[in-house]
Amino acid sequence: MIITFIVPPSLDGELPAERTAGCTRLVYPMPNIYELIVAAILEKEHDVRYRDFVLEEKNEKQLMRFLVDDESDCYMLWCVNLSLETDLKTIQHIREYHPETWIVAIGPGVTYYTAKLLTDEYVIVVRGEPEMTVQELIGSISKGGNFGLIKGISFLKNGCVHHNPTRELIKNLDCLPFPARHFIEKYPFTNPKLKIHPYTTVLTSRNCPYKCIYCVPSSLTFAREIEFKKENDRKPPVSYRSVENIIEELDMLATKGYRAVTFIDDNFITTTKRLRPVCECLKKHEFSWGCQARADAITEDIAWILHDADCGFVDLGVESFNDDILLYIRKGITSRQIYEGIEWLSKYNVPVKLNILIGTSPLETKETIKDTLRKARALKVSQVMFNIVAPFPGTAFYNLARENGWIVGGDYTPTDVQHHSILNYPSLSSKEMEKMLFRNNVSFFLRPSFIFKNVGRFGSFTDFKIALKAIRRKLFHK
């Protein structure tokens, strides 16, 4: 079979959806290694192709011209909430030229809004963790078999939606191939926090054990979580790749010339036993690298290991410095622990990026937001990123927001958390949150000290342009 993964251009009048994190519009391009793992599985037995119309800067007419002559037997779409309208229009365009070609939709958007994408009997939704389901599904389709008993899929039959039982989670992540990055080598990827390329991302685990009520993890983890919660009413267990498997991938990336890596685990830092050998490998290959972590995971020993491996940044989800708010959102951390984690990283000169969410609880006010900004700026960290919380379906916060009437319009609509709010609290309106978000970001990113500190650190003019474009999109949504 000829199977083509398509990343369509934005067809909803907005910036393209960022499909890796899944909750924002595109600021700077990130390689979607989640779908590339699926591609790596399929290319063992099929002719797999990949087209990213966003990174190729193609428009709707060019997508349609491609479809006119394309001979694929199946199209694959990785869907997030913000891409749903674009993906529906893409399916319509495919149907104009290929009325009976298979379309397989995967990702968190279709795991939750399953029926919305099932427009005809040749569209199949893969729910939750996709790899084993897609492998079995495509194998069955290619042989003309019956996929009616395949776990983890939904489909239309005689006008009715059928949801097959949930598939069990993958127990051994080491059995999965490394992402098929050769499909995206022609596209320009860089991380403005690292400023070096060739750049890619690496995933070493799935899910996070903590219980933050608002949390929308990476798009793969969120699809996994939504599906698991349907039957178990709790988050799925965390799955880890072995250290040996991670090092094998890093060795391979170094051989292929990659110089920069971001670990996109929801929580990369767990134990020194796991972190130390990975950092030794990163150090050996002289990778520029960064990761996401919880502040309470940072000890002096951890900070030293990161420093010794020349870690380029640690991305900490802080959300607020208000202990009442932290308790309400079940962050499982105190402001004192946040300060201690930042202090250890600062002591060993590991750059820190803080992620702060505005509006995570009805306790939030203009005063608490201003206080958080003051405290964040006083820390003199490398970067502070402000977003507005959204009540994503599938989270505890969504249930709270609906029950209490906090959602504008009564229910969730896909929202770019970098710019817009759909929440109204008694003490804080959506418009007030949007204004404070903009002011906070401008006050940080347009400070002369931030500009002068970062402008000279780029490895090339291309990297500088990408970073400049990212800041413009972050601040002005353009």
Side-chain angles (χ1 to χ4, degrees), residues 1-4 42-43 45-49 71-75 101-102 104 137-144:
M1 287 182 68
I2 299 175
I3 302 165
T4 300
L42 294 178
E43 69 176 350
E45 297 183 5
H46 304 280
D47 181 356
V48 176
R49 303 170 186 183
E71 298 178 349
S72 296
D73 301 299
C74 177
Y75 294 101
T101 296
W102 293 102
V104 177
L137 173 64
I138 296 300
S140 179
I141 289 175
S142 66
K143 295 172 184 175

Side-chain angles (χ1 to χ4, degrees), residues 287-353:
F287 277 117
S288 178
W289 68 283
C291 65
Q292 301 178 113
R294 283 175 59 92
D296 57 343
I298 308 300
T299 62
E300 183 168 15
D301 195 16
I302 292 285
W304 164 253
I305 292 170
L306 297 174
H307 163 78
D308 187 54
D310 199 24
C311 179
F313 71 89
V314 175
D315 204 330
L316 299 178
V318 169
E319 324 317 349
S320 175
F321 291 98
N322 183 295
D323 282 311
D324 291 333
I325 291 176
L326 292 172
L327 182 63
Y328 185 98
I329 65 177
R330 302 178 200 165
K331 185 72 179 174
I333 194 172
T334 65
S335 60
R336 181 64 255 167
Q337 289 173 302
I338 293 171
Y339 283 121
E340 287 174 353
I342 295 170
E343 286 169 5
W344 286 128
L345 292 171
S346 299
K347 177 179 178 179
Y348 290 99
N349 298 314
V350 178
V352 177
K353 176 199 168 190

Side-chain angles (χ1 to χ4, degrees), residues 87-106:
D87 296 335
L88 279 167
K89 288 184 179 180
T90 300
I91 290 172
Q92 292 174 7
H93 288 323
I94 291 172
R95 286 292 172 255
E96 291 177 37
Y97 308 105
H98 308 285
E100 295 186 353
T101 296
W102 293 102
I103 299 172
V104 177
I106 54 184

Side-chain angles (χ1 to χ4, degrees), residues 14 118 132 170 196 230 236 317 329 454:
E14 300 284 347
L118 294 175
M132 298 299 100
I170 299 171
I196 293 176
K230 289 178 183 177
I329 65 177
N454 285 276

Side-chain angles (χ1 to χ4, degrees), residues 315-459:
D315 204 330
L316 299 178
V318 169
E319 324 317 349
S320 175
F321 291 98
N322 183 295
D323 282 311
D324 291 333
I325 291 176
L326 292 172
L327 182 63
Y328 185 98
I329 65 177
R330 302 178 200 165
K331 185 72 179 174
I333 194 172
T334 65
S335 60
R336 181 64 255 167
Q337 289 173 302
I338 293 171
Y339 283 121
E340 287 174 353
I342 295 170
E343 286 169 5
W344 286 128
L345 292 171
S346 299
K347 177 179 178 179
Y348 290 99
N349 298 314
V350 178
V352 177
K353 176 199 168 190
L354 301 183
N355 285 311
I356 293 174
L357 269 180
I358 292 173
T360 52
S361 89
L363 304 178
E364 190 86 280
T365 63
K366 289 182 179 180
E367 288 68 33
T368 62
I369 295 171
K370 290 176 181 177
D371 183 61
T372 294
L373 174 61
R374 282 194 299 269
K375 290 175 177 176
R377 292 187 64 168
L379 288 167
K380 297 181 180 179
V381 296
S382 296
Q383 191 176 134
V384 180
M385 189 74 76
F386 295 90
N387 291 310
I388 301 177
V389 73
F392 283 92
T395 65
F397 183 63
Y398 169 74
N399 296 331
L400 276 171
R402 281 199 68 189
E403 290 166 5
N404 288 278
W406 299 332
I407 305 178
V408 177
D411 206 351
Y412 170 83
T413 52
T415 306
D416 182 356
V417 299
Q418 294 183 110
H419 298 96
H420 302 299
S421 172
I422 56 171
L423 290 170
N424 274 331
Y425 292 124
S427 59
L428 194 66
S429 71
S430 60
K431 295 303 178 184
E432 287 171 328
M433 282 190 268
E434 290 174 357
K435 288 178 181 177
M436 297 193 78
L437 172 74
F438 178 74
R439 290 170 186 164
N440 286 3
N441 280 323
V442 166
S443 71
F444 186 85
F445 285 103
L446 297 188
R447 287 182 303 157
S449 59
F450 176 82
I451 295 171
F452 293 140
K453 182 179 179 180
N454 285 276
V455 73
R457 296 172 55 194
F458 292 95

Side-chain angles (χ1 to χ4, degrees), residues 94-283:
I94 291 172
R95 286 292 172 255
E96 291 177 37
Y97 308 105
H98 308 285
E100 295 186 353
T101 296
W102 293 102
I103 299 172
V104 177
I106 54 184
V110 293
T111 299
Y112 190 85
Y113 293 102
T114 303
K116 192 169 185 177
L117 269 287
L118 294 175
T119 55
D120 61 58
E121 296 192 1
Y122 287 92
V123 178
I124 301 174
V125 162
V126 171
R127 310 186 314 269
E129 200 169 47
E131 292 90 352
M132 298 299 100
T133 302
V134 170
Q135 183 179 35
E136 185 178 352
L137 173 64
I138 296 300
S140 179
I141 289 175
S142 66
K143 295 172 184 175
N146 183 358
F147 54 76
L149 297 179
I150 294 175
K151 289 184 178 180
I153 66 170
S154 297
F155 55 93
L156 276 179
K157 187 174 182 180
N158 299 324
C160 297
V161 176
H162 292 260
H163 301 293
N164 285 1
T166 295
R167 181 175 293 271
E168 301 80 6
L169 296 176
I170 299 171
K171 294 182 179 179
N172 177 21
L173 297 182
D174 287 2
C175 73
L176 297 173
F178 300 146
R181 293 183 177 88
H182 58 89
F183 287 118
I184 60 171
E185 288 174 347
K186 62 183 177 181
Y187 300 126
F189 294 104
T190 188
N191 186 328
K193 295 190 290 292
L194 296 175
K195 304 174 177 65
I196 293 176
H197 65 87
Y199 163 80
T200 191
T201 54
V202 174
L203 183 71
T204 73
S205 64
R206 297 183 178 186
N207 271 99
C208 165
Y210 297 93
K211 304 184 186 301
C212 308
I213 62 173
Y214 58 85
C215 185
V216 178
S218 65
S219 61
L220 170 62
T221 291
F222 198 40
R224 188 179 192 258
E225 190 168 299
I226 292 169
E227 184 69 6
F228 188 84
K229 280 181 176 178
K230 289 178 183 177
E231 294 188 357
N232 300 278
D233 196 31
R234 60 182 173 85
K235 292 178 68 169
V238 183
S239 297
Y240 297 97
R241 292 168 56 191
S242 70
V243 168
E244 293 77 14
N245 187 250
I246 298 165
I247 290 174
E248 183 183 350
E249 182 175 12
L250 293 175
D251 287 342
M252 178 273 294
L253 292 174
T255 300
K256 291 185 175 295
Y258 285 94
R259 298 176 58 214
V261 170
T262 296
F263 293 97
I264 55 174
D265 302 58
D266 302 303
N267 185 26
F268 176 68
I269 298 175
T270 52
T271 64
T272 55
K273 182 179 180 181
R274 185 171 187 266
L275 180 66
R276 198 182 301 276
V278 174
C279 283
E280 287 296 326
C281 182
L282 292 163
K283 182 179 175 182

